[in-house]
Amino acid sequence: MRVIVQKGPFDGGSELNSFTAAQSNMGAIVSFTGIVRDVSAGLKHMDIEHYPGMTERALEKIASDAMVRWDLGDVLVIHRYGRMQPEDSIMMVATASKHRKDAFEAADFLMDFLKSRAPFWKKEQTLTSDDWVASKQEDEDALKRWSHS
Amino acid sequence: MDVLYFAWVRERIGLPKEAVETDAKTVMGLVEELRAREERYALAFSDLSALRVAVDQDLTDFDASITGAREVAFFPPMTGG
């Protein structure tokens, strides 16, 4: 299990290759990459603030919860903070398992919890505004489907 | 203890972190003390449903104890991923 919080960019392709190469006898690797998207056609950049210390703790807790809940060989979480441009990769998760169902479900779980339980805050600067991104009720609701096991 | 603010809470209060001497027993008690300080605090803490709190870097709620806590942080709902 590896959790990385960094300011600089990362190469999702080579991260995924290294993650895959490090596994043995895993039949399934699933990865997800989150990318800065220009929602309103005018995004200049996105700033992500985080809570150093708590961020690492929260991500490690989410990743280890996934390791306990599913039959996983390994989990990788990379999340950036600081300033990002449209098309930049913000974060990625990867899961390795013997079977695809565990790998898919665990990646989905990681994403749901990263969205609203890891201390990151996005701010979008467009040509006309500079606003904190509001959390969505649907993201909060998404956590409920994991509460029964 | 250290009190930390993030995102728009930080902007509204005007600083990221400060040392606070308090006898408050709970997060809510601390919020009441901060609200009474100045307008900018009252404004930042006017709607607690828009805020989240962590005590010693663990997410908790407003009736949580802060006795012995080193660090209390206030912030809006998180938007990671």
Side-chain angles (χ1 to χ4, degrees), chain A residues 41-99:
Chain A
L43 182 69
K44 287 169 71 182
H45 53 249
M46 173 186 277
D47 288 310
I48 298 183
E49 184 169 328
H50 81 121
Y51 182 172
M54 181 174 168
T55 306
E56 290 80 359
R57 274 169 66 107
L59 293 180
E60 275 160 23
K61 169 80 165 61
I62 294 166
S64 58
D65 284 352
M67 294 285 289
V68 168
R69 186 158 176 168
W70 285 277
D71 181 14
L72 301 175
D74 203 359
V75 168
L76 169 69
V77 177
I78 303 175
H79 204 303
R80 293 178 63 195
Y81 62 91
R83 181 156 294 184
M84 274 151 255
Q85 311 299 326
E87 314 302 332
D88 279 1
S89 294
I90 303 172
M91 50 76 58
M92 74 176 281
V93 300
T95 55
S97 176
K98 292 189 179 71
H99 308 290

Side-chain angles (χ1 to χ4, degrees), chain A residues 49-54 57 79 90-91 114-123 132-133 135, chain B residues 4-8 10-11 52 54 56-59 71-73 75-81:
Chain A
E49 184 169 328
H50 81 121
Y51 182 172
M54 181 174 168
R57 274 169 66 107
H79 204 303
I90 303 172
M91 50 76 58
L114 251 67
K115 274 247 167 234
S116 38
R117 289 293 181 274
F120 291 100
W121 300 274
K122 293 183 179 132
K123 192 178 200 184
W132 292 99
V133 173
S135 63
Chain B
L4 288 77
Y5 311 107
F6 291 96
W8 61 254
R10 171 180 55 72
E11 290 179 341
R52 300 291 179 268
D56 287 338
Q57 303 188 354
D58 280 324
L59 205 60
E71 199 169 289
V72 178
F75 41 78
M78 296 160 268
T79 52

Side-chain angles (χ1 to χ4, degrees), chain A residues 2 8 25 31 33-35 57 60 63 85 94 105 113 140 147:
Chain A
R2 211 161 142 239
N25 206 28
S31 81
T33 306
I35 295 159
R57 274 169 66 107
E60 275 160 23
Q85 311 299 326
E105 281 188 12
F113 279 81
E140 195 60 33
S147 60

Side-chain angles (χ1 to χ4, degrees), chain B residues 8-35:
Chain B
W8 61 254
V9 185
R10 171 180 55 72
E11 290 179 341
R12 218 163 276 186
I13 289 172
L15 74 178
K17 182 177 177 175
E18 61 185 325
V20 172
E21 297 280 338
T22 179
D23 295 322
K25 303 268 187 293
T26 64
V27 173
M28 200 57 224
L30 174 64
V31 167
E32 294 297 349
E33 285 185 9
L34 293 170
R35 270 176 177 161

